[in-house]
Amino acid sequence: GMTGTPVLNSIEDLFSQVRFLDKGATLGTNYFSFRARFLYDKNRGMPKQRYFPDWRPQPGAEERLHALIQPFTTRFKKEECIDLPPLVETTIPVIMGPKQEKLYNEMKEDLLTFLDGKEVVATMALTKLLRLQQMASGFCHTFDGKDLEISDSPKAEALKEILSDISPKHKTIIWAAWVFNYETIRKVCDELKIGYVELHGGVPIPKRPEIAEKFRKDPSIRVVICHPEATSEGINLVEASYSIVYSRTFSLKHEEQSIARNYRGGSTMHEKVTRINLITKNTVDEAILKALKQKKDISVKVLDGLKEILT
């Protein structure tokens, strides 16, 4: 069994992998028995109408699991296996425009009020958190299902400045989590007369390898607009010496897979690989990036310390 990310969200991730390898000899064949052995439900005992499960490792569970699987596992870091150029990561903060800040603060207060109320439902809280993230990226998703641009959002202008500087000499991946962001990025590329292709959920799966190859080989194509779910394992974009994260998901898997698209074997064609995090200052953008750096998946722990994220 081979994987670069055996535990993305929780130690629960190990169960199916180990069972596949040894047919249950180490951790058993029943998932629920495994869960009872190594985890506990922090929210056990909550009122039924407010209950949602929150499985956490029991004290010492990580150490016990490590001792069990250590005899038949080996870990190699990427830098131990291949020679790679430096990975330079930088964060560029942008400040919200007045209209954007007003909308964002109204939604933030609504979410905080919602959390102080009696009926706290995890999925609804996550939806409100997603709305904050969308506003930080430059648009609002309305109750009737429409996406509306926030006219004074600074991210697009910041992206334009970055691309105008690097695109003549470097190919670039632009990562975005929302369909509306794709259109914003297209407009920026069109204004700068930069050739681009797209790899996201709107592109049929059979066409994606062909598009990736066009980005790699065609010198007129300087940008590829990507969603990490559509460009996971198997897509090689190593010709890009830059990547820009315009908006991101809460997923640690998406974060790590997006880094691996152009920081991998073959990256030695560049002196360095640069990853730029485009962050809207004083918003949930900062909290998401911080949590991912600490190897936490916010979508799983959305209510854990949420007020600290927003205040």
Side-chain angles (χ1 to χ4, degrees), residues 16-46:
S16 59
Q17 299 172 70
V18 175
R19 181 183 175 185
F20 168 76
L21 291 171
D22 66 8
K23 296 181 173 59
T26 303
L27 301 180
T29 59
N30 186 285
Y31 164 74
F32 297 101
S33 297
F34 165 82
R35 189 174 68 181
R37 184 179 173 190
F38 293 101
L39 297 103
Y40 74 98
D41 185 358
K42 183 183 178 184
N43 290 338
R44 183 179 181 181
M46 284 181 64

Side-chain angles (χ1 to χ4, degrees), residues 184-195:
T184 301
I185 298 167
R186 290 182 198 117
K187 289 179 180 177
V188 170
C189 290
D190 289 339
E191 287 179 22
L192 295 174
K193 295 181 170 53
I194 295 173

